[in-house]
Amino acid sequence: MGKTLFDKIWDSHVVDTIEDGPSVLYIDRHLIHEVTSPQAFAGLDKRGIPVFRPEKTVATADHNVPTEDQHLSIKEELSRLQVEKLAANTVKHGITYYGLGSEDQGIVHVIGPEKGITQPGRTMVCGDSHTSTHGAFGALAFGIGTSEVEMVLASQCILQTKPKRMRITVDGQVRKGVTAKDIILYIISQIGTSGGTGHFIEYAGPAITALDMEGRMTVCNMSIESGARGGMIAPDETTYNYLHGTRYAPEGDAFFQKVEQWKKLHTGKDAVFDKEYQFDARDIEPMVTYGTNPGMGVKITGQVPQPEEIPGASRGSYNKALQYMELKPGAPMIGQKVDYVFLGSCTNGRIEDLKAFAHFVKGYKKSGHITAWIVPGSKKVEQQARQEGLEEILREAGFEMRQPGCSACLAMNEDKIPRGKYAISTTNRNFEGRQGPGSRTFLASPLTAAATAITGRITDPGTFHP
Amino acid sequence: MSIPQFTTLNSTAIPLPVENIDTDQIIPARFLKATSREGFGENLFRDWRYNDEGSPNKDFVLNNPAYGGQILLAGKNFGSGSSREHAAWAIIDHGFRVVVSSFFADIFKNNALNNGLLPVQVREAFLQKLMQAVQSDAQTSITVSLEDQTIRFAGGQESFEINAYKKHCLLNGLDDIDYLLKQKDRIEAFEQKQLKT
Ligand code: SF4
C-alpha cells in the first residue's frame, strides 16, 4: 500500500521507537524566538550540557519587538531583557541569530521560508504553534513547548507520538475576491477548533495547488486553529520555483538533483488516511469571524448565527463570545463598524499580502476614523514593498508601513488594540484579549481588510463600490 | 533533572465549566516576558480573574473562597491555541496537579505531562456529572490514581488513557531529556545514515 506524504517524512526520521511509547524523531531544522526559548537554555545550563547541533538551529527576535524606531533600544524593560537573553544565548552556543538591526530579521515563520531554510522533506519544529506554516513546502513541521525546545537543543531529537493522518481536499476553483485565508477560515468553520486534534493534515485538490506559496503558507499556518498538529501540501513546480535562488537552497546542479528527490514526496495513490474531508471551492466566499475562536466564522454576506444554529454543548461558548464581542444574533456582518485595521502576522504579512492590500486601496483613501497598522512580516518583505512601490501606493491612500514583527497579532509589544475597540485583522486568532486586553477581533483576508479600511465598516471586497 | 512524581491524589476541585479555554486565557501573552519558569501562577486566568482596574472579579471561581484543591475541572477542548508552555507552568504554579476535561489540545497535553501535571480526559457525561457534584458541594472529594488510571468520586468512577511511557515517567519522576541524552550513539548513527542519502 502506498504511503502518505506525512508517513514518508515521519518514517524516514525515526531514530528509534519506544515500546508502547513515542518515537525518537530526528529534527532537521529548529527555529527559536525570544519568548519560548529562555527556560530551555536555562535547562541546558542546569544540566551543564551544550547545544548538540547548533548549526541546525536559527534564531530571530519577533514577538516582543517594537514596530517603530527599531534602531533604538527596546523601551519596555522586560521585552528588552528577553530579547537580550536570546542574543546572549545564541552567542554562547554558536547559533545563527537574526536580531533587531539585521537585514534578515522577521517573524520566524516568514524568514524560514524566504531564506530557503524550509525545504521539502525536512522535519522542522519551533516553540510556536504556527510552525505548521512550513508544511506548505512539503516539510513536516509542528509547534512544540519549551521542554521540547530543550530536548531538541540537547539532542536534535524529540520524543513524539505519531499523529493520525487527515486529508482535506478542496475541489474546483475559488471565485475572484476569495483568497487562501477565506479557504482556511471556511475549513475551520466547518470542522471546528478541535476537528483536527490528534491529526496531521494534508491539503490537496485543485483549489489548493492553484495557490502560490504565500497562499499555501496561509492555509498551513492556520492548521493549528483546527487543533491539528500541523498541515502540509505536497511540493510541486510552484514550490521549486519559490525555493530556487534562496539563500539556503542548494545551488546550481545540486538544486536540480534535490528537486528529483523532492518529486518523490507525494501521497501514493492507494494510501489511506484516518480521516478525509472534501469541500467544493465554489461554496467558499470571503469569510469573517464574529466570535472569540477561529471556528466562529461566517460568510461575509452572512449574519451572526442564531442560538438555534449552534449545537447545545457549544451554546455556552457562543453566548460568552457574543457578550464579549457585543454582537446580537442575526446581525449582518457587512456594515459592522470597525476601529482598527491590522495587516500583518505569519498568516498574512508576506509580500503577496501587502501587494494584494496595496493594489486594492490604490486610488482610494483610508476611512478617517480607522487606525491602520501595516506590519511587514520581515525586513525582506519591508524592503521589497519599498522597491516595488507598494509603500508609495499605501502612503498615498493614507496608510503607513511599520517595521517587522508579530505586533498586534498577540500584542506583546506596544501595538495593542484598545479595550472595547473592534479590529479587522489578517491574523489567526480572535481569542478574548489576544490583540490587547478587552480588544475585539474580526479575522479576515487582506482584501477584506483593505475594503474595510476604505469604508470604515466591514465590507465585501467582491462587491466593493465605494 | 526530573519532574515531580505523581502516584495518587486525593483532593477537592475547582470547577470551570467553559469550553475551548485557550492558552491566551490561561496566561495572556503580555505576561510571557519572564525568563524563568516560576511565578506565572499569579497571572493564571488573569483577564477573567481580575477586573479592568485590577481588583479581583468576585464572580470568577478562583476568587470564590468556597472552592479549593489541586484539581481543575474544565470544559471540552482545554488548552487550545498557542503552544506556550507557560500555560502549564501557570496552572502548576497556582498549585494544581491535575486538569480534568473531556478533551485536551495536543500541545497542551504534552506540555502538561512534561511538567508533571496530569491531564485526565474523561467522557463528556462523566465530566458533567463531576462538575455538577462539585458545583453543588465544594467539599466533594476526588481521587485520581495514575497507577490504576482511574478517577473516582462518590457519584462515579471512570478510567482514563495515558501512554505507557509517559505513565512510567510520571510515576517515577523521569524526564524525556535524560532519556534522549542516553540515545546519543543512535542519534549520531542516524545522522551518518542521513548524510549518505
Ligand atoms: S505573527 Fe502571531 S501567530 Fe505568528 S508567530 Fe507571531 S505571534 Fe505567533
Side-chain angles (χ1 to χ4, degrees):
Chain A
M1 199 171 57
K3 279 189 174 189
T4 66
L5 167 62
F6 169 74
D7 284 308
K8 284 182 183 176
I9 307 176
W10 179 282
D11 294 351
S12 67
H13 286 81
V14 171
V15 174
D16 192 17
T17 298
I18 301 174
E19 214 187 306
D20 283 334
S23 295
V24 177
L25 193 72
Y26 191 82
I27 300 303
D28 295 319
R29 287 296 179 278
H30 184 197
L31 305 170
I32 58 173
H33 63 69
E34 77 275 20
V35 180
T36 54
S37 66
Q39 293 86 354
F41 282 109
L44 295 186
D45 288 348
K46 227 174 176 176
R47 289 171 207 263
I49 54 172
V51 173
F52 181 55
R53 295 288 181 246
E55 70 281 7
K56 295 194 174 183
T57 296
V58 173
T60 189
D62 53 4
H63 282 63
N64 265 311
V65 304
T67 53
E68 286 180 316
D69 297 328
Q70 287 187 348
H71 60 290
L72 302 176
S73 105
I74 302 177
K75 278 195 225 111
E76 225 263 305
E77 194 192 352
L78 289 175
S79 295
R80 193 183 66 245
L81 290 177
Q82 207 172 45
V83 172
E84 283 172 0
K85 191 93 197 160
L86 177 64
N89 281 327
T90 55
V91 170
K92 178 172 169 190
H93 292 279
I95 291 168
T96 302
Y97 173 51
Y98 300 131
L100 278 188
S102 153
E103 283 308 293
D104 295 304
Q105 179 265 340
I107 303 172
V108 64
H109 312 306
V110 176
I111 66 170
E114 76 187 12
K115 299 195 192 321
I117 297 167
T118 307
Q119 292 180 15
R122 280 190 167 163
T123 48
M124 296 179 71
V125 293
C126 174
D128 195 287
S129 55
H130 293 98
T131 310
S132 57
T133 312
H134 307 266
F137 290 78
L140 197 161
F142 55 94
I144 58 177
T146 298
S147 295
E148 294 169 317
V149 170
E150 190 179 337
M151 280 180 216
V152 180
L153 290 174
S155 67
Q156 205 56 38
C157 287
I158 188 169
L159 280 175
Q160 203 76 185
T161 306
K162 192 176 186 179
K164 294 188 186 135
R165 317 150 192 85
M166 177 187 289
R167 179 161 58 190
I168 297 180
T169 307
V170 188
D171 290 318
Q173 293 300 337
V174 293
R175 65 171 174 78
K176 203 168 159 262
V178 176
T179 68
K181 181 64 162 287
D182 303 305
I183 296 178
I184 189 64
L185 282 174
Y186 176 80
I187 291 173
I188 300 165
S189 77
Q190 299 297 308
I191 74 174
T193 49
S194 58
T197 304
H199 291 78
F200 221 95
I201 301 175
E202 179 174 345
Y203 300 95
I208 299 294
T209 47
L211 297 171
D212 58 19
M213 287 316 296
E214 283 81 0
R216 294 180 189 188
M217 285 189 255
T218 302
V219 170
C220 289
N221 174 276
M222 290 190 70
S223 303
I224 182 76
E225 262 55 72
S226 73
R229 283 315 307 272
M232 59 205 310
I233 295 171
D236 60 12
E237 291 300 323
T238 308
T239 321
Y240 315 143
N241 290 337
Y242 180 101
L243 284 173
H244 198 192
T246 55
R247 185 182 311 165
Y248 291 104
E251 288 173 44
D253 278 353
F255 182 81
F256 297 100
Q257 280 161 18
K258 254 293 180 256
V259 167
E260 288 312 307
Q261 287 180 21
W262 291 342
K263 283 185 178 162
K264 296 180 196 133
L265 295 170
H266 55 81
T267 292
K269 275 213 169 57
D270 54 351
V272 178
F273 289 82
D274 297 287
K275 196 152 196 177
E276 293 236 32
Y277 285 99
Q278 201 127 10
F279 297 109
D280 187 338
R282 281 156 301 202
D283 292 339
I284 307 177
E285 284 182 35
M287 295 285 293
V288 64
T289 61
Y290 64 88
T292 52
N293 74 51
M296 294 175 166
V298 288
K299 292 176 178 172
I300 197 167
T301 52
Q303 295 90 29
V304 176
Q306 297 287 348
E308 308 83 74
E309 299 170 51
I310 306 292
S314 306
R315 200 98 28 102
S317 324
Y318 161 86
N319 288 332
K320 200 165 177 297
L322 291 204
Q323 201 182 2
Y324 183 84
M325 293 294 288
E326 259 189 66
L327 290 174
K328 297 245 164 345
M333 294 312 295
I334 288 182
Q336 290 290 339
K337 189 168 173 260
V338 167
D339 311 289
Y340 282 74
V341 171
F342 178 62
L343 176 73
S345 86
C346 60
T347 313
N348 284 124
R350 296 190 175 76
I351 189 66
E352 293 303 322
D353 301 311
L354 265 71
K355 215 177 272 178
F357 187 99
H359 289 165
F360 198 97
V361 300
K362 190 173 179 175
Y364 298 112
K365 281 270 182 268
K366 176 179 78 67
S367 163
H369 77 267
I370 291 277
T371 304
W373 291 334
I374 313 289
V375 181
S378 70
K379 286 304 265 187
K380 184 162 176 229
V381 172
E382 181 188 25
Q383 271 164 13
Q384 213 174 329
R386 218 162 264 154
Q387 282 158 6
E388 295 185 13
L390 304 180
E391 192 183 27
E392 180 84 34
I393 299 174
L394 288 169
R395 195 177 311 120
E396 275 168 16
F399 299 91
E400 223 182 295
M401 199 168 72
R402 299 167 84 92
Q403 291 171 305
C406 295
S407 180
C409 176
L410 92 164
M412 267 188 91
N413 69 352
E414 294 87 350
D415 307 342
K416 293 177 173 52
I417 309 296
R419 187 174 294 282
K421 297 288 182 198
Y422 291 92
I424 197 146
S425 182
T426 66
T427 53
N428 43 50
R429 287 182 176 146
N430 49 353
F431 297 149
E432 286 182 27
R434 169 80 177 183
Q435 299 197 280
S439 62
R440 294 168 174 154
T441 304
F442 297 120
L443 297 176
S445 78
L447 290 183
T448 303
T452 302
I454 297 164
T455 62
R457 294 176 177 276
I458 293 185
T459 300
D460 182 350
T463 54
F464 170 79
H465 297 294
Chain B
M1 291 239 300
S2 56
I3 56 170
Q5 261 176 298
F6 191 106
T7 48
T8 301
L9 178 70
N10 239 311
S11 172
T12 51
I14 299 184
L16 188 53
V18 179
E19 285 191 357
N20 298 313
I21 297 179
D22 58 78
T23 53
D24 271 86
Q25 307 318 315
I26 299 172
I27 180 104
R30 60 188 192 281
F31 300 112
L32 306 185
K33 297 183 185 186
T35 52
S36 77
R37 290 176 188 235
E38 291 79 38
F40 291 104
E42 229 177 279
N43 295 311
L44 175 67
F45 297 118
R46 175 77 201 201
D47 293 339
W48 290 350
R49 200 164 143 199
Y50 297 97
N51 294 315
D52 302 354
E53 75 299 348
S55 60
N57 170 9
K58 295 219 168 54
D59 296 334
F60 188 62
V61 69
L62 284 195
N63 296 322
N64 182 344
Y67 290 106
Q70 293 178 281
I71 301 174
L72 177 65
L73 301 182
K76 191 177 150 195
N77 198 23
F78 185 81
S80 57
S82 159
S83 62
R84 60 189 69 158
E85 196 161 313
H86 312 67
W89 299 336
I91 292 171
I92 293 164
D93 198 48
H94 189 273
F96 292 110
R97 290 298 321 268
V98 169
V99 184
V100 182
S101 176
S102 56
F103 203 82
F104 289 93
D106 289 329
I107 306 183
F108 177 81
K109 201 192 280 179
N110 285 352
N111 288 342
L113 288 167
N114 283 335
N115 288 279
L117 174 70
L118 183 64
V120 172
Q121 186 164 321
V122 295
R123 283 173 308 124
E124 185 64 34
F126 182 84
L127 179 69
Q128 293 309 333
K129 214 162 56 168
L130 182 57
M131 197 76 87
Q132 274 157 21
V134 171
Q135 280 176 319
S136 54
D137 177 10
Q139 294 312 313
T140 303
S141 165
I142 302 166
T143 304
V144 177
S145 162
L146 177 56
E147 189 76 63
D148 308 342
Q149 296 180 220
T150 56
I151 173 166
R152 59 195 146 79
F153 69 111
Q157 160 162 352
E158 175 139 317
S159 48
F160 60 88
E161 298 278 317
I162 182 170
N163 172 305
Y165 166 81
K166 276 292 170 196
K167 178 176 174 179
H168 172 78
C169 287
L170 226 56
L171 285 172
N172 298 291
L174 304 173
D175 84 6
D176 287 354
I177 299 177
D178 292 329
Y179 180 87
L180 285 168
L181 290 174
K182 290 191 202 115
Q183 302 293 312
K184 277 285 163 64
D185 292 347
R186 280 172 187 255
I187 296 170
E188 281 171 357
F190 177 88
E191 288 177 326
Q192 288 308 317
K193 201 181 83 197
Q194 201 186 35
L195 275 180
K196 285 187 206 122
T197 53

